[in-house]
Amino acid sequence: MIRAIVIGASFGGIEAIREILLHLTPEVRVPVFVVLHIGNNRIDGFVNFLNNHTHFLVSDACDKDEVLPGHVYFAPPNYHLMIEDDQTLTLSVDAKINFSRPSIDVLFESAAWVYGRDLLGILLTGSNADGAHGMTVIKQCGGTTIVEDPRTATSGVMPMAAIERTIPDLILPLREIAPRVCSILGC
Amino acid sequence: MPSEEKNKKNQEDSGGSSADIQSIEMRLLLEAVFLRYGYDFRNYSKSHLRRRIVHHLGMNSLSSVSELQAKIMWDRSAFNRLMTDLSINVTEMFRDPEFYQAFRTQVIPMLSTYAHIKIWHAGCSTGEEVYSLAILLKEAGLLGRAQIYATDFNKYVLEVAREGIYRQQEIELYEQNYLKAGGQGKLSDYYTSRYGSVIFDKSLTKKVVFVDHNLATDGVFAEVNVIVCRNVLIYFDRILQSRVIDLFYHSLPGMGVLCLGTRESLRFSEWESSFAVMDPVNKIFKKDPTLAP
């Protein structure tokens, strides 16, 4: 049973994340953790938009926030986001990974350790290789992985890097991802 | 049945995944580190420690946390390497320039009414933010009457902080941060470049004492007007965060100022309501004993 979803995206990620979160149905009652590479820019505007247009409560994470179902947590700019065994969030200012802070690998790895086979990892458009290692850890821990089809992604570099490192369970064009997530969760 | 297979079978029977087993190994390792060397990481964030330990295993060609534990028990240099990997926190000069801007406009005017100013920079790591603070005080004309205690429990990073030598390649970011923080001159007024490094002016640290202090185990060591402890609490669990805030509460007089990282909070401390919020975004608080705990 899927107990949590992690999503990673870089270049073109705002549009891709919006597409997915807008099309997840209200029955999707698991926490969703997101790393979006956006440099040092603020994400308040995007978070507000998602709060107004999706079924989720969306926020950028604060240290030790409690993980709640039906919430979407964004890694804040310039912090890595990790998940604790006790269902709280931890932030860190450790060195950049793949030139990125927040790093998708850091989030995916920590979520894989906590949720194991109950984790669904989704890697979207992007023009670097962040997330490829994280997807392999999710697979090693028994989780499920979806990679956006590199042929139709805004930038196929990141999905391609993941496909080269691991065999994802599904490779899907963006529009098909949200419906498939709903069906995997039985919603 | 050979023991390896038996173990595997037991593990399957009990449903123990490798991640679960690694959690147990981690707890044992932290206990071993505490009993053997007295450094207490037991209330650090588990996900943070795990990431660093797994990285450490990879860099040192170790196959498991248990193997690392056996090694550090008998080999102090192996322990020192682990310590380094667990304790060095990355920082930058004028990290979060808005915070320094807020400090300039909200805290400095208050400090300028004091004859002597004591500041505790807790968890100063390699010192970039200590120099930032010293520059800010200097530009406000307050450095001469300030005493800064910069503490960390890692002696190696304190040495780096004391030397004040940083990599040239970072300096462009620091220059930008300095300007965004409201710097009144040029950052280059405060350092000289040599051999691909920059060395900061020793006059900045004339009033700084670098001291070995462990927030997890040590007590109050001075009463100070301001405590700066940014992006240190995020590495601790709620229990240790509460302990450290208690320590801070008892190190501040009434109207003493506490500065945390922009994503940190006082919410796990019994003292939360005894602090007035000066700046909710930049997380600047003022101890107000008239507020009930």
Side-chain angles (χ1 to χ4, degrees):
Chain A
M1 189 186 73
I2 299 297
R3 287 193 296 138
I5 299 173
V6 286
I7 302 177
S10 185
F11 184 77
I14 291 188
E15 294 76 12
I17 289 165
R18 185 170 61 201
E19 164 72 21
I20 289 179
L21 293 180
L22 282 174
H23 292 93
L24 291 180
T25 58
E27 292 75 32
V28 175
R29 295 294 295 164
V30 298
V32 181
F33 309 100
V34 186
V35 164
L36 167 65
H37 294 162
I38 195 168
N40 273 340
N41 301 310
R42 302 173 71 111
I43 53 170
D44 319 24
F46 187 43
V47 166
N48 282 340
F49 170 86
L50 293 172
N51 263 317
N52 293 331
H53 293 87
T54 70
H55 305 291
F56 296 95
L57 272 168
V58 187
S59 61
D60 50 345
C62 272
D63 184 51
K64 303 294 173 287
D65 273 351
E66 228 172 298
V67 172
L68 298 167
H71 280 237
V72 176
Y73 303 91
F74 275 81
N78 222 1
Y79 288 88
H80 294 302
L81 172 63
M82 293 177 290
I83 299 149
E84 300 282 347
D85 287 335
D86 67 358
Q87 300 289 301
T88 59
L89 301 177
T90 283
L91 301 176
S92 107
V93 291
D94 279 9
K96 292 182 177 180
I97 304 289
N98 308 314
F99 310 101
S100 308
R101 187 175 53 222
S103 149
I104 300 168
D105 279 345
V106 171
L107 170 67
F108 282 18
E109 187 177 64
S110 96
W113 286 335
V114 169
Y115 294 106
R117 67 181 68 171
D118 301 332
L119 181 69
L120 172 60
I122 304 172
L123 191 66
L124 301 170
T125 169
S127 53
N128 59 59
D130 196 18
H133 171 71
M135 292 294 262
T136 63
V137 179
I138 294 175
K139 284 307 292 176
Q140 280 163 10
C141 293
T144 306
T145 53
I146 301 176
V147 173
E148 183 179 358
D149 191 332
R151 290 170 303 183
T152 51
T154 308
S155 171
V157 175
M158 206 159 83
M160 206 58 226
I163 291 166
E164 280 166 9
R165 289 276 294 273
T166 172
I167 300 167
D169 295 295
L170 294 160
I171 300 171
L172 296 171
L174 181 60
R175 285 223 183 124
E176 291 175 27
I177 293 177
R180 186 63 74 95
V181 170
C182 293
S183 71
I184 290 172
L185 268 70
C187 307
Chain B
M1 186 185 294
S3 67
E4 225 172 80
E5 275 177 39
K6 198 170 155 190
N7 280 344
K8 190 158 178 258
K9 185 159 189 328
N10 285 344
Q11 175 189 328
E12 281 164 3
D13 289 347
S14 64
S17 70
S18 62
D20 294 337
I21 294 167
Q22 203 175 52
S23 297
I24 298 170
E25 286 182 297
M26 289 247 310
R27 276 177 64 180
L28 295 172
L29 173 74
L30 301 183
E31 203 63 44
V33 166
F34 179 63
L35 293 174
R36 171 76 174 82
Y37 296 101
Y39 287 100
D40 194 351
F41 290 98
R42 293 174 300 176
N43 288 103
Y44 274 53
S45 142
K46 299 285 176 293
S47 62
H48 159 68
L49 284 177
R50 187 168 192 164
R51 206 177 80 75
R52 293 219 180 164
I53 288 169
V54 166
H55 178 76
H56 184 86
L57 295 179
M59 296 304 285
N60 291 275
S61 309
L62 295 162
S63 62
S64 72
V65 180
S66 300
E67 193 184 337
L68 170 65
Q69 184 187 326
K71 198 168 170 61
I72 59 119
M73 283 303 274
W74 297 97
D75 181 348
R76 183 174 268 279
S77 65
F79 169 69
N80 289 340
R81 288 197 298 276
L82 174 65
M83 265 289 285
T84 303
D85 280 355
L86 291 188
S87 61
I88 291 190
N89 290 335
V90 178
T91 176
E92 62 191 50
M93 289 193 76
F94 296 98
R95 188 193 153 98
D96 306 320
E98 307 79 23
F99 161 74
Y100 287 92
Q101 185 75 264
F103 193 94
R104 231 181 253 276
T105 55
Q106 296 176 61
V107 182
I108 289 287
M110 192 169 99
L111 297 183
S112 59
T113 64
Y114 299 165
H116 302 285
I117 305 161
K118 285 186 177 179
I119 299 178
W120 177 16
H121 199 126
C124 69
S125 195
T126 40
E128 287 86 340
E129 294 186 73
V130 177
Y131 287 88
S132 310
L133 188 65
I135 289 170
L136 195 153
L137 289 169
K138 185 168 183 168
E139 294 187 354
L142 298 179
L143 190 58
R145 44 182 151 134
Q147 170 72 59
I148 302 176
Y149 304 102
T151 66
D152 203 281
F153 75 100
N154 181 319
K155 296 182 186 78
Y156 164 75
V157 297
L158 280 178
E159 200 46 52
V160 175
R162 202 173 279 129
E163 289 194 330
I165 300 173
Y166 302 110
R167 293 189 304 173
Q168 178 83 47
Q169 64 201 84
E170 310 289 347
I171 213 77
E172 194 183 329
L173 170 70
Y174 297 173
E175 294 271 10
Q176 289 168 10
N177 285 353
Y178 168 76
L179 292 175
K180 282 189 213 158
Q184 291 163 4
K186 296 196 302 290
L187 190 59
S188 56
D189 298 341
Y190 302 102
Y191 66 78
T192 44
S193 300
R194 267 162 58 185
Y195 310 110
S197 295
V198 298
I199 176 160
F200 276 84
D201 195 342
K202 287 282 171 250
S203 69
L204 290 173
T205 45
K206 217 161 63 185
K207 307 302 285 290
V208 182
V209 197
F210 293 95
V211 191
D212 175 11
H213 179 275
N214 192 335
L215 289 169
T217 43
D218 294 337
V220 172
F221 76 94
E223 189 179 78
V224 295
N225 306 108
V226 179
I227 296 172
V228 178
C229 182
R230 305 183 68 243
N231 298 313
V232 176
L233 294 182
I234 49 176
Y235 291 102
F236 301 159
D237 70 8
R238 293 175 179 208
I239 296 164
L240 185 52
Q241 288 197 5
S242 161
R243 178 195 193 275
V244 173
I245 300 293
D246 186 69
L247 192 62
F248 290 165
Y249 182 85
H250 289 104
S251 304
L252 290 168
M255 301 303 151
V257 174
L258 173 60
C259 306
L260 300 179
T262 51
R263 293 277 146 188
E264 294 171 324
S265 74
L266 294 169
R267 61 188 154 153
F268 308 114
S269 166
E270 57 179 312
W271 301 115
E272 180 180 17
S273 52
S274 301
F275 284 93
V277 181
M278 291 177 73
D279 186 323
V281 175
N282 295 298
K283 301 292 159 72
I284 304 177
F285 304 90
K286 183 159 59 178
K287 176 173 166 179
D288 186 344
T290 65
L291 299 171

